[in-house]
Every structure is written in C-alpha cells, then in structure tokens.
Amino acid sequence: MSLEAIRYNNGTLCILNQLLLPTISEFEEIKSVEEGWDAIKKMKVRGAPAIAIVGCLSLVVELQKCNPFEKVKQIAAFIIDKLQYLKTARPTAVNMAEAAGRLTNIVNALLKDKNTTADSMKLRIIQEAEDMLKKDVIDNRNIGKYGAEHICKNFLEPSSTARILTHCNTGSLATAGYGTALGVIRALNESSRLDHVYCTETRPYNQGSRLTSYELVYEKIPATLITDSMVSFAMKQKKITAVVVGADRVVANGDTANKIGTYQLAIAAKYHNIPFYVAAPSTSCDLSLTCGDGIVIEERPHTEVTFFKDQQIAALGKH
C-alpha cells in the first residue's frame, strides 16, 4: 500500500506534515483556506498536484463551516476571492492556478443560470474539489502505465530490466496517490521490469533524501540515494536506462519548470545519450505561455540553504 499524504473525509482535511519526514510521521488538520495557504507556502505539503488538491479542499472545509450565504453573488465572490488567494502560495506550480481557473469558470457559468441558489453553487464546488482526489490517482496510474510501457518498448530488450534516475519527490507524497515520475517507477517495478532506482538528494530542501527515499524504502523498491553532484558520474558508470522527473509547469513548446537541479540533469542526460522523460498530468500544462521564459520562478528564502531545519550550516551574511 502506498503512503498517504492527504486524508479527507466529509469536510475534514488532514495533511502529512512533510517538513517532519522522515523521522516523524504526523498529520495536521487544515481548518481554513488560510491554513491551507500556509501549509502550501511552508511546504508542509508540496508537489504540484497535491498543492492544488489541498488548496481546493481547504476551500471546501471553509465552505462547510461558514454561515449560509443568502445570495448567490455573495458565495460566488467568496469562492473566487479564496481561489485567487490560494494561487499566490506557490506561483511556479500551475496546478493550483489551473484548478482555480476551472472552478472560477464553473462559478461564473452558474451565475448565469437563474435556477442556481447559494446552496446549489456550494454543493457543486464541493463536489468538483472532492472529485480531484479520485481523478488524480486515476491520472497517475495511467501516467505510470504509459511511461513504463514506452520505456520497455523503446529502450529495453524483452528480458532486461531498467535502471531509472529520478529527481525531487514525485510519488504518493506529492500527489493524491501513486505519483507521476515515481508512478512510472512503480509501474516498472510492478511488472518486474525494474532493476534499480537512483534518486538524488535534491538540495536544498532534500525532497529526494527525506521523501523519495522514504517512499522507496517503505515500498521495498530497490534504490540508491545519491548526491546531486553525482548524477553525471552515475550516468556514466551505472548504465542508466532513462531519467524520469515530474513538473511544476509545462508550457506550449514543451519547456518545463521543475525542481531546481532538473536543468543540469537534462543537460547531463543529453550528453550521455540517455532518454529524459517528464511525467506530468494535463493539469500541469499551461498552454497560455508559448515558452518557458514566461514562467514565474518562485524565489525561496535563503534559510533553506544556510540552515537545515533549525541548525545553521553556512556562514551568515550577504550571499
């Protein structure tokens, strides 16, 4: 059974606080949109699909608990305002913006329907947000299936197995379940076509060492954790079959924004003639941008480099 990062049941939302992993597994209840925004911003929950799901479900929690709205326009304004706010937590990951846009379009369409009541609008938005959980797992399993099949068909002999290199965390902890890039790895393992996984530690926040290795150990998938600076040497020495990563945003020409370190990984893969896959759902695609130059890249605080948890690991001053 895969790990679980999001627990939701009938208006109650809890997330696995990923800042505490791998030493502590603790779920934290999200009781409002503000708490959802804070959990996303502080990376208690992360991964583009999970960000959107937690953001929208935090809105559901608030809709379930707030006093009834008398007018349709009041609840419409409330929903749209909260969705716009949630978009600001992690701007590079497009899934929250995609979900906010889709739900906003539904609200605007309902406003044009004279039969819409405040209660019916509330129930429709709740249903749409809750459906995101189920759809994400279905999408991820399909990504895993198609990705594994493509690697086996194009880069493996019938009786051989794959060695996959991956970056950051793209598994059950980054999604509603199964994962994207890690979903491809899971599918290869389930079909007995996986030899070994090499996962990078993914500095500065160590999503690879804290989270991906945690998932791989939990599911007993054969894997080795390597430092980010080892990837080129690993490609040369370990006969890597393919590199598979996730994505925060994919634009119209195929340019992709992902965790820092992905760019040099792609360059090294090209140099060593290793196929490089981006595994992502359609909700990570942003066709409004023609190329990657238009992607807003989030600037994280310097403490993520100069501190590890509460421990200072670098000289402080102007860097």
Side-chain angles (χ1 to χ4, degrees):
M1 183 178 178
S2 296
L3 289 165
E4 191 178 28
I6 304 168
R7 289 179 178 173
Y8 175 81
N9 183 43
N10 196 29
T12 300
L13 172 64
C14 295
I15 61 162
L16 182 63
N17 185 345
Q18 296 183 33
L19 296 177
L20 304 178
L21 291 174
T23 53
I24 300 172
S25 296
E26 181 177 287
F27 278 85
E28 178 177 311
E29 186 173 359
I30 302 297
K31 300 178 181 179
S32 67
V33 166
E34 285 68 26
E35 288 185 4
W37 186 97
D38 187 68
I40 293 167
K41 185 67 176 179
K42 290 181 177 177
M43 295 178 69
K44 292 179 180 178
V45 62
R46 21 74 48 213
I51 287 170
I53 292 166
V54 169
C56 291
L57 288 179
S58 73
L59 173 60
V60 169
V61 169
E62 202 154 311
L63 284 171
Q64 296 274 37
K65 292 181 178 180
C66 65
N67 293 326
F69 291 88
E70 294 182 3
K71 298 180 179 179
V72 177
K73 288 185 177 180
Q74 289 177 329
I75 189 171
F78 176 85
I79 292 169
I80 292 172
D81 181 64
K82 295 294 184 179
L83 290 170
Q84 291 300 312
Y85 173 64
L86 285 163
K87 284 168 55 177
T88 65
R90 297 286 306 281
T92 304
V94 74
N95 299 57
M96 186 64 242
E98 186 277 336
R102 181 166 47 81
L103 294 181
T104 297
N105 288 339
I106 291 171
V107 168
N108 288 330
L110 290 172
L111 279 173
K112 296 176 183 178
D113 185 348
K114 294 181 180 179
N115 295 318
T116 299
T117 64
D119 193 50
S120 67
M121 180 177 287
K122 170 184 170 179
L123 293 175
R124 174 66 186 280
I125 295 302
I126 288 173
Q127 187 63 58
E128 290 286 338
E130 291 178 343
D131 286 347
M132 290 172 65
L133 272 170
K134 302 173 192 174
K135 184 178 184 303
D136 189 58
V137 175
I138 293 170
D139 288 347
N140 294 339
R141 287 191 174 275
N142 284 330
I143 289 169
K145 175 178 180 290
Y146 298 138
E149 288 176 353
H150 195 274
I151 290 171
C152 291
K153 179 180 178 181
N154 292 279
F155 302 107
L156 289 180
E157 296 298 325
S159 60
S160 62
T161 52
R163 292 184 174 188
I164 304 297
L165 196 154
T166 192
H167 187 60
C168 197
N169 175 256
T170 58
S172 294
L173 299 177
T175 63
Y178 203 75
T180 53
L182 207 52
V184 176
I185 290 168
R186 279 194 174 89
L188 285 167
N189 190 57
E190 289 165 3
S191 60
S192 301
R193 300 303 303 274
L194 180 71
D195 176 36
H196 207 80
V197 180
Y198 293 89
C199 63
T200 63
E201 60 179 348
T202 317
R203 289 284 295 148
Y205 233 44
N206 295 309
Q207 292 98 324
S209 58
R210 291 190 303 106
L211 307 178
T212 298
S213 62
Y214 181 74
E215 289 199 50
L216 294 170
V217 168
Y218 180 86
E219 298 196 27
K220 297 180 173 59
I221 295 174
T224 299
L225 174 67
I226 63 174
T227 65
D228 295 357
S229 55
M230 290 179 182
V231 292
S232 295
F233 192 68
M235 288 177 186
K236 180 181 179 182
Q237 295 293 107
K238 297 299 182 180
K239 297 181 180 178
I240 302 298
T241 307
V243 178
V244 188
V245 301
D248 286 323
R249 187 182 300 236
V250 182
V251 299
N253 72 341
D255 285 353
T256 300
N258 191 47
K259 182 58 57 184
I260 196 72
T262 306
Y263 182 43
Q264 55 257 46
L265 195 61
I267 293 170
K270 183 176 182 180
Y271 179 83
H272 290 93
N273 198 31
I274 295 171
F276 188 94
Y277 289 83
V278 174
S282 59
T283 51
S284 294
C285 297
D286 181 4
L287 301 184
S288 70
L289 298 178
T290 57
C291 71
D293 292 342
I295 299 174
V296 176
I297 303 300
E298 179 186 6
E299 296 285 342
R300 301 292 300 177
H302 73 84
T303 51
E304 292 182 9
V305 175
T306 56
F307 282 76
F308 181 71
K309 294 189 175 179
D310 295 326
Q311 180 66 46
Q312 181 183 331
I313 59 173
L316 299 183
K318 190 173 183 180
H319 288 276

